Amino acid sequence: MGVGKRVLLIIAGGIAAYKALDIIRRGRERGLDFRVILTKGGAEFVTPLSVASLAGSKAYTELFSLTDEAEMGHIRLVREADLVLVAPATADLIAKMAHGLADDLASTALLANDRPVLIAPSMNVVMWRQPAVQANVATLRARGVSVVGPGAGDLACGEVGDGRLAEPLDIVTAALKILSDGPLKGLKALVTSGPTFEAIDPVRFIGNRSSGKQGHAIAAALAAAGAETMLVTGPTSLPDPAGCKVIHIESANEMLAAVEGSLPVDIAVAAAAVSDWRPSREAQQKMKKREGGEPPRIDLTTNPDILATISAPGPKRPALVIGFAAETENVVEHATAKRQRKQCDWILANDVSSGTGTFGGADNKVHLISAAGSEEWPRLSKTELAEQLVARIAAQLKGAKS
Ligand code: CTP
């Protein structure tokens, strides 16, 4: 599966470093070829000799080693890799990556790197939950770094919680997924997800109950299929999906600006529940109650239609534009009209009437509506639906190319 692919594995100094040996073993069984950098801390936990024995090539440790630089400079180490895998990724190395520090071979190689990066964090639960660590991980994700784990369970320090290195086989699987030449390799995709919040005043807003689950699952599936994926999302409680570049926005106008800045793309999926209206004026100060006074009136103005903007004919129109239609009655009929009105290629129409559990739920039931007509899909989990949609997108674009 991974035959011929080269991984630059960076082993940082955490107690889970010993599991990196198993990553090498399981990766090699699946055809991966490893070059390894051991940080100074990493070398406290595993020896260069055990790494070299398993990897079949020497472990690089020092930035200013004349022999290491002469044999294989730090730039070449990353240039010759198809993927850089940091496992275990310690809080310290994650911070260096987030801030662009380069004071040893591992951090310098990471800074000189232009290949996909996968990190497998591992640390004590309290460290993992520190806002500083979470902010650094969020920064890396937003730059397109993929993250696998950490898992929850017993930690080497005796505490219990998040922070365990993901299982070696799961790390290898995540690496293979990134390395696989997915069907959408070479294509760019854009997904909108989540609700928008439209400010009334500095503390109040108009929003909706969209969880972002479906849009985030679609972005993750597009990235897993090899597309360079940008996700523009309103506020949700979901983590950023692996392998995507993520732009966080609040209002429809901000979403439109982020979307326009991301064009041109080949595939666009508008899964966001964009607020149709926003308050005409945003009060600059918190609106106060007045004793016996009338409640305030909120004048609304119409938001831009982001899907219709993406779909409008022009040089930047994506090859395939897909929208959603949330309907409570005459689902297919209304969604068919919406497809024509918004000029998108496909609409996924879902019934969101009360009792269906679609909003915020784990499942979805849709009709795919295209110029060819309408097709009813079975009830699927939002992840399965995303995978099926991506398979259809790949088939459609392949058909269009040939
Ligand atoms: N959409 C958008 N920008 C908006 C409103 C909607 O991009 N301002 C997109 C949504 O992401 C979705 C599709 O349009 O892909 C359908 O949204 P929906 O709210 O169901 O349709 P409306 O246009 O609001 O039509 P109606 O309220 O009449 O059903």
Side-chain angles (χ1 to χ4, degrees):
M1 191 183 174
V3 178
K5 300 285 183 184
R6 178 169 285 167
V7 175
L8 174 63
L9 172 64
I10 297 178
I11 305 176
I15 181 65
Y18 76 95
K19 291 191 185 169
L21 299 177
D22 205 25
I23 295 173
I24 298 172
R25 194 173 63 85
R26 289 174 180 273
R28 288 194 77 192
E29 280 166 8
R30 286 160 182 78
L32 295 177
D33 191 16
F34 285 88
R35 287 258 161 76
V36 183
I37 293 178
L38 260 179
T39 66
K40 211 161 169 249
E44 297 286 335
F45 290 96
V46 289
T47 70
L49 183 60
S50 43
V51 168
S53 311
L54 282 166
S57 68
K58 74 169 277 186
Y60 294 86
T61 50
E62 288 183 48
L63 182 57
F64 299 114
S65 148
L66 282 178
T67 48
D68 282 9
E69 272 302 300
E71 266 176 52
M72 171 70 65
H74 62 277
I75 304 281
R76 234 179 93 201
L77 270 173
V78 286
R79 288 294 176 277
E80 290 186 357
D82 297 299
L83 172 75
V84 179
L85 168 62
V86 187
T90 55
D92 179 63
L93 189 51
I94 289 170
K96 281 183 185 163
M97 290 171 75
H99 296 278
L101 300 185
D103 64 354
D104 64 0
L105 179 59
S107 53
T108 308
L110 281 160
L111 202 57
N113 172 51
D114 59 357
R115 305 292 135 129
V117 180
L118 172 65
I119 64 170
S122 163
M123 65 197 74
N124 166 272
V125 55
V126 179
M127 281 171 95
W128 173 249
R129 289 188 186 160
Q130 282 299 338
V133 173
Q134 288 301 314
N136 287 338
V137 172
T139 300
L140 295 180
R141 280 188 197 272
R143 290 185 197 144
V145 169
S146 302
V147 182
V148 53
D154 293 333
L155 303 174
C157 52
E159 292 183 25
V160 179
D162 298 335
R164 269 172 73 93
L165 184 75
E167 290 308 317
L169 192 53
D170 291 340
I171 295 174
V172 170
T173 305
L176 289 170
K177 209 165 169 186
I178 296 170
L179 286 166
S180 74
D181 293 327
L184 299 180
K185 192 127 197 148
L187 296 179
K188 280 190 173 182
L190 169 66
V191 180
T192 67
S193 184
T196 62
F197 286 0
E198 310 296 334
I200 297 170
D201 68 14
V203 298
R204 302 180 179 93
F205 61 85
I206 296 174
N208 63 68
R209 294 185 200 280
S210 168
S211 66
K213 281 182 189 157
Q214 188 61 80
H216 279 54
I218 292 169
L222 285 163
E228 186 186 328
T229 306
M230 272 153 303
L231 172 66
V232 180
T233 178
T236 74
S237 58
L238 301 173
D240 291 346
C244 303
K245 292 215 167 94
V246 185
I247 304 176
H248 293 269
I249 53 80
E250 288 212 334
S251 67
N253 274 330
E254 288 166 3
M255 181 172 275
L256 179 65
V259 160
E260 287 184 322
S262 302
L263 295 174
V265 296
D266 302 286
I267 305 150
V269 183
V274 183
S275 175
D276 289 318
W277 306 284
R278 67 175 183 276
S280 310
R281 270 176 299 107
E282 178 186 342
Q284 292 310 302
Q285 308 298 334
K286 185 183 169 202
M287 289 159 66
K288 303 295 285 178
K289 292 188 293 292
R290 264 176 296 129
E291 196 69 30
E294 290 279 303
R297 282 177 184 279
I298 301 172
D299 279 332
L300 297 175
T301 185
T302 304
N303 265 331
D305 191 317
I306 296 162
L307 174 59
T309 308
I310 299 171
S311 297
K316 286 191 178 176
R317 190 195 190 277
L320 190 59
V321 183
I322 303 166
F324 273 79
E327 307 291 348
T328 54
E329 56 176 357
N330 303 331
V331 174
V332 171
E333 198 186 320
H334 282 162
T336 304
K338 198 170 284 177
R339 189 185 83 82
Q340 278 163 0
R341 202 168 60 241
K342 301 202 180 200
Q343 302 188 70
C344 55
D345 301 294
W346 298 350
I347 280 242
L348 292 169
N350 46 11
D351 185 348
V352 293
S353 50
S354 59
T356 58
T358 300
F359 253 53
D363 294 346
N364 209 346
K365 167 104 182 62
V366 300
H367 296 257
L368 172 69
I369 291 160
S370 67
S374 114
E375 208 179 278
E376 187 171 354
W377 285 18
R379 177 165 286 278
L380 296 167
S381 75
K382 288 182 176 173
T383 308
E384 284 167 340
L385 191 143
E387 282 164 2
Q388 296 228 1
L389 178 65
V390 168
R392 282 297 285 268
I393 292 172
Q396 172 75 16
L397 294 180
K398 204 169 146 210
K401 257 191 217 164
S402 56

